[in-house]
Structure formats: C-alpha cells, structure tokens
Amino acid sequence: MFRTHNCGELRLTDVGKEVSLSGWVQIGRDFGGLTFVDLRDRYGITQIVFDQDDHAELAERARKLGREWVIQVNGEVRERTNKNPNRATGDVEIVARELIILNRAKTPPFTIEDESDGGDDLRMQYRYLDLRRGPLQRNIIFRSQLALAVRAYLGGQNFVEVETPFLIKSTPEGARDFVVPSRLNEGQFYALPQSPQTFKQLLMVAGYDRYFQIVKCFRDEDLRADRQPEFTQIDCEMAFVTQDEILDTFEGLTRHVFQELKGIELGKFPRMLYDDAMRRYGSDKPDLRFGMELVELNDVAQQKGFKVFDDAELVVGIAVPGKADLTRKQIDKLTEWVKRPQIGAKGLVYVKCNPDGTFKSSVDKFFDQEALAAWAEKCGAQAGDLLLVISGEDEKSRKQLGNLRLHVAESFDMIPEGSFKPLWVVDFPLLEWDEESERFHAMHHPFTSPKREEVERMLTGDHETMKSLKADAYDLVINGAEIGGGSIRIYDRALQEKNFKLLGFTQEEAEEQFGFLMGAFEYGAPPHGGIAFGFDRLCAVMNGQSSIRDFIAFPKNNQGRDVMIDAPARVDEDQLEELNLKVTFEENQ
C-alpha cells in the first residue's frame, strides 16, 4: 500500500496512528538534528520530521531529497509544537520511520507554488508541472464538481444525455470551421462542430423532448482571454416549451450550481429587453454590479452653439460617483482610451460637479453654469461626481460609452468583490444588416425563430420590415459576461426556407447544406427551443476570474498553439499522400 491517508487528511484525532503517505516533495528544511520535509499531493501538504538522534541514516537520506521527488513515508502521527494555522494539517506532523524514494525529479524550471516565478509561456510549455500548483488544481477540481452538479440537476429534470458526432459537415455561417480530410472519400472533408445545433433539433424531432450534453466545440477564430479554439458547452434542448419555461429551467440550473459549489443564494433573475440593455448600458451583456447608466442629453445639450453636439445624432453621458477630484492627467488618459481604434470615439467631454455646487467642464466656453446644472440633474449627479459625455451616431456612441463605463469601474475599483448579478437579456433582433456585405446576418443563428406575433411579417414583409423583426432569443448574463445563449427554434420548413433566403442562401445552397433538417421538419417536428452555456466561462465567472484558460487542463496559447506538445505540426508526407493532400501541400510551399 502506497498510502493509508492523503496529505490533506490527518488531524489531531489521528495522533498516535501509524500511517503511510505518498506524494511530491514541496520543500525541505535542514536544522541539523531535525530535517523537515513538506509532502504534497492534490489534497494538501503534511509536514514530515526526520530525527537525526532516532534514525541518523534516514535523516541523512532526507537531507538529499530534491524538490518534486516522489516519495513514500511511513511513520507515526504526533501533535506539532509549532502549529501552522494556515494549513489544514497544521496541527500535526509525521515522525518518519521509513523513507522510500519512488522517483527522482529534475529541478523544475519554475517553483511549484501558489505564486510561481514562471512566466506564462514557460508554464504553458510545462503544463503538467503547472497543473501541480494549488490554484490550477482547485480550478480543475472545481470544473469537475461543476460538471457533476450540472448532470445531477438536469438528470433530476428528466433530461437525457446524448452524444452527437464530432465529424460533421462544414457550413459557412458563423466562425470558421476546423476541417478534417477524409481518406476514404477523396477530396472531401469533415468539419469539427461549432455546436451540436442541428443534431439537438433532430433529437427533438425524434421525440427526446429533453436533451443535454456537456460537449466539446471548435471554432477557428482569433483568440483572447475568454476564447479557445476548442471549448466546452452545456448544450440543451427542450420540446413543447415556451421561452419562459426554458428561462425558468436554466435559471434553476444556475441557482443550483451557485448554491452547491459556492454556497451563494441567487434570487430571481431580472429580465431586460435587448433594446433597453443597449439604451441603458450600451451593451447586450450589461454588468449590473454598479450603476452609471447611460443618460440621453440631447434636449439639454444641443442647440447651444457647440457644433460637435448640435450635429450629433446622440449626446449621451454617465455620472461617475465621487470622481470629480480626478486630475486633468487622469481625464486625458480616459480621453485617449476612448479614442483608440478599438473604441473609436472622436473625443470625450467632462463636467466636474464641485463640492461647492459649481461646475467645471471641458466645454465651459459653450455652456454656462445653468446649462451644466441641467446636465447634472438629468444624469442624477451629486456634488463630487464626474460627468463623462460622448456624442455621435446613436448606436456607436452608446457602445463607446458602455465600454468606457466598464473601463472606469474597473480602473477605479468601483466593482464590489464577491458580488454576482445575473440577468436575462431577451427579445434580440432576429437579423442584423451588414452595410459592407449588403446582406443580413443571423443575430444568433439561422435556426432562431421570430416571435410568434412576427411570423407573418417575416413571411410577407419588405426589407425594412426585416430589420425590425424580434426573435424569441435570450442570453444569460452574469457580471457583464455572456454565460449562455439560446432561442426558440424554427420548426416549419417554409419559415426556415424564408430565413435562409433572407440570409443570402440560394435555394440550392440551403438544400445542399440543411436539406436534412428541413426534410425532418416535414415529419412532425414539435415546437422546441434550447440554450447553450459556455462551460469554461461559467467556471471562470463563478470564481471571479476573467480568463478561461486556467479552467482548462491543456489549453492553447494566444496563437492557438499547444506549446507543450508542439501542435499544430506538419505530418508525414505518406500521410498527406494517403489523404490526397500532398500535391496541394507542396504547391503551397
């Protein structure tokens, strides 16, 4: 037996027991007569004592142990004289009677500590070592616990877990597919799924009225902190349900996992129309942990001789509480921030609401104290607050100020720690018009249904009508992060054909790519809808982190590479020849 207990298990009640522990050497400390070794496994750390007086040879061997050596220790549990209150096993130690070296280790390239001295690239290269560190182990264990809690809840709600294929057909909508050449079908390719969307709809046609899957998905897109080329979804679909029933079911799932894993009781989730979210926060995923709602100022700021405002479609501002004391240098940095290409604002106007009731602004030349007081009143600003104002096109200005709102809150620590503010954003537009390509794109995906009362308008309406169509589509947002999204689906062939036509598909293209789904609709498709949660993102948000990478055991870096195994990599020429790709590959050199 390698161990009778793990390294996080022993307590004062175990004093006097003979035990065996196995694990990795965290650190050793030599005090001459006594040598101490901290032994670590994923459960914790236990202090081992080697006494020179009792076992001289054993103590000598212990002094030679290196970091990350794998050892087994047999000995007796005793109470520590110098207890460690920061460690679960800090009241006890093991007096070693036997030491077995199971494996020696090279000195690791960085310290295996909670706070490591290794940079990101180095730790990614030695990911198997990085995964020994406490924070990552806690993240990966949390991920496992979350998956189990999800399965328990959905299983209790009569959901059936069904696996869907990974080798499917490529489709042009959405992000780029990863493609896989077929050896047996020369010149043809599979695609890795961006989601199991069509398969879960087919399961509804097949009569499995409650489906779920914790499933790997793939998108060949540019990466950032909350994106990976392969990621995991909690994918769900339900038949014979309304939008409200779906929201209630998955609000219940969210409350369940927060209660089970974090001990946090979430109340009823508010619901906000997409149009209201954009108007009030400049975002379809508003962060409700702090205020600073967007306020329209057209009626009090225009026609005062300031051409920048007078020519604008929208003048919009936020009141930043308690920040009238920002220096000009700090405000200039905010101005530079909104003028970056990523944000695209032309400038930023500020008004300081001074404690004495006066106002100081960057546009004093055009607006007197009375006018600035009207701005402050409209924004609900108090003495000591700071107004930040942007103008321009309506939609762009709202998004710019919405981004600034988040930046200000993060920069000045205005977001309360440990707070969770979920909400549903509902009634998204069905379609969005792209001026550059001069065509509609699906706001969610091509299978999203218009609201029931808008079906007739969709089937018979003109181009302008299509721009205003609303969908039975919804997103779950927590703390400004989109956790999940879904919709009621189209289940009628004629309506689905109409949607494909609006999205620029020819009848032949729609039939070639999705004929199987539309054909299934002709065999008694029930009303259905669903949702997919970003599983990796849910892990991160529940733990107050922004990056999903540390919740994935073996993630890719920002270039989509696995630097540990050096992938992607070239393949053998014989393999290329078997796949009928050799000529193409050589032509591209």
Side-chain angles (χ1 to χ4, degrees):
M1 179 180 293
F2 284 109
R3 57 186 181 185
T4 59
H5 299 76
N6 63 55
C7 293
E9 188 175 353
L10 297 172
R11 301 292 187 271
L12 282 173
T13 53
D14 298 301
V15 168
K17 289 182 181 178
E18 290 290 328
V19 299
S20 294
L21 299 184
S22 294
W24 289 263
V25 173
Q26 178 80 10
I27 194 170
R29 300 178 299 281
D30 181 17
F31 293 98
L34 295 174
T35 298
F36 297 92
V37 170
D38 285 348
L39 189 64
R40 183 195 75 243
D41 63 13
R42 78 172 175 90
Y43 303 97
I45 296 176
T46 298
Q47 179 170 283
I48 315 296
V49 183
F50 297 87
D51 193 325
Q52 175 75 27
D53 293 338
D54 292 343
H55 297 88
E57 183 184 349
L58 202 61
E60 181 62 28
R61 291 177 64 208
R63 292 188 192 101
K64 296 177 181 177
L65 294 174
R67 281 179 177 264
E68 301 305 309
W69 285 28
V70 186
I71 65 172
Q72 178 183 347
V73 173
N74 302 320
E76 181 183 342
V77 183
R78 77 178 182 191
E79 185 174 1
R80 283 177 62 162
T81 54
N82 57 331
K83 294 182 171 61
N84 183 347
N86 299 318
R87 187 178 291 174
T89 61
D91 291 338
V92 297
E93 60 191 8
I94 309 300
V95 180
R97 305 277 189 256
E98 184 180 12
L99 168 64
I100 303 168
I101 297 171
L102 300 174
N103 212 340
R104 289 169 170 79
K106 294 168 65 175
T107 302
F110 53 86
T111 55
I112 314 297
E113 303 277 358
D114 283 7
E115 295 294 331
S116 176
D117 57 0
D120 284 350
D121 291 342
L122 185 63
R123 288 188 290 109
M124 287 283 281
Q125 184 180 350
Y126 295 92
R127 185 66 171 182
Y128 49 86
L129 296 180
D130 200 27
L131 284 168
R132 292 181 187 174
R133 295 193 306 115
L136 263 71
Q137 289 196 339
R138 288 190 287 273
N139 288 349
I140 298 302
I141 292 167
F142 179 88
R143 181 189 179 95
S144 172
Q145 293 170 337
L146 179 58
L148 292 172
V150 167
R151 285 191 166 95
Y153 175 86
L154 293 176
Q157 297 287 323
N158 291 326
F159 280 79
V160 179
E161 186 168 12
V162 183
E163 293 181 347
T164 52
F166 274 5
L167 296 175
I168 65 168
K169 191 177 189 178
S170 183
T171 59
E173 273 296 312
R176 295 183 184 92
D177 288 329
F178 284 100
V179 294
V180 181
S182 170
R183 179 179 61 83
L184 298 176
N185 300 274
E186 183 176 345
Q188 295 183 315
F189 297 81
Y190 298 105
L192 300 180
Q194 297 185 34
S195 90
Q197 181 61 43
T198 54
F199 291 101
K200 66 180 180 178
Q201 290 189 247
L202 291 172
L203 285 169
M204 298 303 102
V205 178
Y208 297 85
D209 65 336
R210 290 190 168 208
Y211 142 92
F212 88 98
Q213 186 180 187
I214 299 178
V215 60
K216 188 76 77 175
C217 300
F218 307 85
R219 290 179 188 167
D220 188 6
E221 58 186 352
D222 295 336
L223 306 180
R224 56 190 190 213
D226 63 348
R227 282 186 182 170
Q228 283 277 305
E230 50 182 313
F231 58 97
T232 304
Q233 288 185 175
I234 307 169
D235 197 63
C236 308
E237 198 78 4
M238 304 170 74
F240 303 111
V241 287
T242 63
Q243 174 174 295
D244 285 345
E245 288 173 304
I246 293 173
L247 300 194
D248 288 343
T249 299
F250 291 98
E251 185 172 318
L253 169 63
T254 310
R255 284 205 296 263
H256 172 77
V257 297
F258 267 86
Q259 180 62 58
E260 286 291 307
L261 274 68
K262 306 297 288 185
I264 294 172
E265 186 67 45
L266 297 176
K268 182 72 177 170
F269 296 5
R271 298 184 186 182
M272 185 181 297
L273 296 176
Y274 168 87
D275 288 345
D276 288 342
M278 296 303 298
R279 177 177 56 82
R280 294 168 57 190
Y281 298 97
S283 171
D284 59 3
K285 46 181 186 292
D287 192 334
L288 303 187
R289 289 175 294 173
F290 58 97
M292 295 195 291
E293 285 192 29
L294 279 58
V295 179
E296 296 178 18
L297 298 172
N298 290 36
D299 59 339
V300 293
Q302 290 185 319
Q303 310 312 317
K304 304 288 186 180
F306 185 46
K307 188 173 175 58
V308 173
F309 284 1
D310 292 345
D311 293 346
E313 184 181 2
L314 176 71
V315 182
V316 61
I318 55 172
V320 185
K323 293 301 173 184
D325 59 354
L326 290 190
T327 65
R328 182 58 186 268
K329 185 177 180 180
Q330 288 175 302
I331 294 174
D332 286 345
K333 284 185 70 174
L334 294 178
T335 304
E336 291 166 12
W337 190 87
V338 298
K339 291 170 75 173
R340 297 178 312 143
Q342 301 94 314
I343 306 299
K346 293 179 180 178
L348 181 66
V349 170
Y350 73 86
V351 180
K352 292 185 175 185
C353 304
N354 296 321
D356 63 3
T358 62
F359 301 92
K360 174 62 181 173
S361 85
S362 54
V363 287
D364 284 341
K365 181 177 172 182
F366 300 94
F367 297 93
D368 58 22
Q369 291 290 297
E370 184 179 351
L372 296 176
W375 294 15
E377 182 179 0
K378 190 101 188 244
C379 291
Q382 305 294 318
D385 293 351
L386 175 71
L387 300 185
L388 298 174
V389 181
I390 282 176
S391 64
E393 295 177 32
D394 189 306
E395 185 177 346
K396 287 183 180 178
S397 297
R398 291 187 194 279
K399 288 181 178 178
Q400 290 160 357
L401 191 58
N403 283 318
L404 179 61
R405 171 183 177 266
L406 288 172
H407 177 68
V408 167
E410 290 166 357
S411 299
F412 298 108
D413 296 323
M414 302 175 75
I415 303 175
E417 287 188 19
S419 173
F420 294 95
K421 293 292 184 181
L423 80 152
W424 291 104
V425 179
V426 300
D427 291 6
F428 279 74
L430 180 70
L431 307 166
E432 52 185 345
W433 178 256
D434 182 59
E435 294 290 349
E436 191 172 320
S437 61
E438 294 189 333
R439 59 177 285 244
F440 284 112
H441 292 274
M443 189 68 134
H444 271 68
H445 55 58
F447 315 106
T448 297
S449 174
K451 297 188 76 65
R452 183 184 295 272
E453 61 271 21
E454 305 222 275
V455 169
E456 186 61 30
R457 282 209 310 144
M458 180 175 171
L459 289 171
T460 61
D462 58 17
H463 181 271
E464 290 305 311
T465 297
M466 300 306 158
K467 290 182 178 179
S468 63
L469 290 173
K470 295 294 184 185
D472 269 331
Y474 35 83
D475 280 355
L476 175 62
V477 177
I478 303 178
N479 294 358
E482 179 195 330
I483 298 300
S487 67
I488 298 296
R489 321 301 189 190
I490 296 171
Y491 63 99
D492 171 78
R493 177 169 188 135
L495 191 60
Q496 186 65 73
E497 286 179 335
K498 174 69 173 180
N499 204 33
F500 283 141
K501 185 177 180 181
L502 290 171
L503 294 171
F505 288 77
T506 65
Q507 187 173 348
E508 293 74 20
E509 288 170 338
E511 186 62 36
E512 179 186 354
Q513 292 174 39
F514 300 109
F516 67 93
L517 180 64
M518 292 188 289
F521 289 168
E522 297 180 290
Y523 288 91
H528 60 281
I531 194 168
F533 281 31
F535 184 68
D536 315 294
R537 193 175 298 174
L538 180 59
C539 287
V541 168
M542 288 183 72
N543 288 278
Q545 299 183 36
S546 59
S547 173
I548 66 173
R549 197 169 70 180
D550 286 344
F551 291 88
I552 299 172
F554 300 102
K556 306 294 187 287
N557 69 7
N558 290 339
Q559 285 74 49
R561 296 195 62 83
D562 186 325
V563 295
M564 181 183 68
I565 64 171
D566 192 24
R570 293 190 176 182
V571 298
D572 186 270
E573 287 191 17
D574 290 341
Q575 265 186 289
L576 291 173
E577 192 166 355
E578 266 196 310
L579 295 167
N580 304 294
L581 293 175
K582 185 175 181 183
V583 173
T584 304
F585 179 80
E586 289 177 347
E587 285 175 352
N588 288 331
Q589 296 308 299

